[in-house]
Amino acid sequence: RARPRNKKKAAPVVKEITKIDIPSTDNGFSNLDNDVKVTASIDYYLMSQVKRCSYTRSNDTTSYLRQKALPEGYPGMQCLYCDKQWFFNSAQQLATGLPKIEHHLAACDNCPNEVKQNICTAKNQEELERNELRAKSGERATRRQYAKIVIQRLGAPEV
């Protein structure tokens, strides 16, 4: 007999977009006037919940996992509420890393519940927002396109 699979709970079907207040930030990762035209709110909301940081080899507990060593002072992102840091050296890495930031914030003990709720709301309406952006522009609004913009803003050269 096959074991029954545990099915994930389906996200609620969202038919209307809820406006989420995006906190103003001077971290240089987001530009709301532009970002709302190219990606879903989950992406730029996540960028409002991180700050700039620099790589310090002595603080890196995962350096042995890196395919290529990062140079000292390499630009990265850090959770606003704790010391968790992320370093991305390409738009593709950032695009696949955004869910990691999202999951971290959802589990971070210091992250306010309001932020966690906003992330949940934004995530639930992501597909609807991307479809609306596609209808307006005629192009797919992908996370990778937005990640290219953020990597340029970050000033992270490929290593």
Side-chain angles (χ1 to χ4, degrees), residues 54-145:
S54 296
Y55 178 75
T56 307
R57 189 166 286 118
S58 61
N59 292 342
D60 190 356
T61 57
T62 59
S63 61
Y64 65 94
L65 296 172
R66 297 189 193 285
Q67 291 178 351
K68 297 178 183 175
L70 293 174
E72 199 73 24
Y74 190 83
M77 301 173 181
Q78 180 174 332
C79 175
L80 286 177
Y81 310 104
C82 72
D83 294 332
K84 177 68 177 160
Q85 296 180 335
W86 299 272
F87 298 93
F88 305 104
N89 64 15
S90 70
Q92 183 174 352
Q93 273 192 353
L94 175 57
T96 58
L98 284 170
K100 293 174 184 162
I101 296 173
E102 177 187 326
H103 291 125
H104 166 76
L105 288 166
C108 181
D109 291 337
N110 300 323
C111 183
N113 285 333
E114 179 185 359
V115 170
K116 293 177 182 186
Q117 184 57 51
N118 285 341
I119 290 170
C120 185
T121 300
K123 187 64 181 171
N124 288 340
Q125 65 192 26
E126 178 180 15
E127 184 178 352
L128 182 60
E129 288 179 2
R130 291 195 192 283
N131 288 339
E132 283 192 8
L133 285 166
R134 183 181 206 168
K136 287 179 187 172
S137 71
E139 296 178 15
R140 283 184 63 210
T142 67
R143 194 165 247 180
R144 189 175 292 182
Q145 290 168 319

Side-chain angles (χ1 to χ4, degrees), residues 31-64:
N31 172 349
L32 284 181
D33 292 339
N34 179 59
D35 295 354
V36 297
K37 298 173 191 167
V38 295
T39 195
S41 61
I42 183 67
D43 294 340
Y44 50 85
Y45 189 79
L46 291 175
M47 291 298 95
S48 75
Q49 299 303 308
V50 294
K51 61 185 176 184
R52 287 183 177 272
C53 67
S54 296
Y55 178 75
T56 307
R57 189 166 286 118
S58 61
N59 292 342
D60 190 356
T61 57
T62 59
S63 61
Y64 65 94

Side-chain angles (χ1 to χ4, degrees), residues 29 47 77 94 145-155:
F29 298 138
M47 291 298 95
M77 301 173 181
L94 175 57
Q145 290 168 319
Y146 181 63
K148 284 180 185 176
I149 295 167
V150 174
I151 283 290
Q152 289 174 340
R153 292 174 185 165
L154 178 61

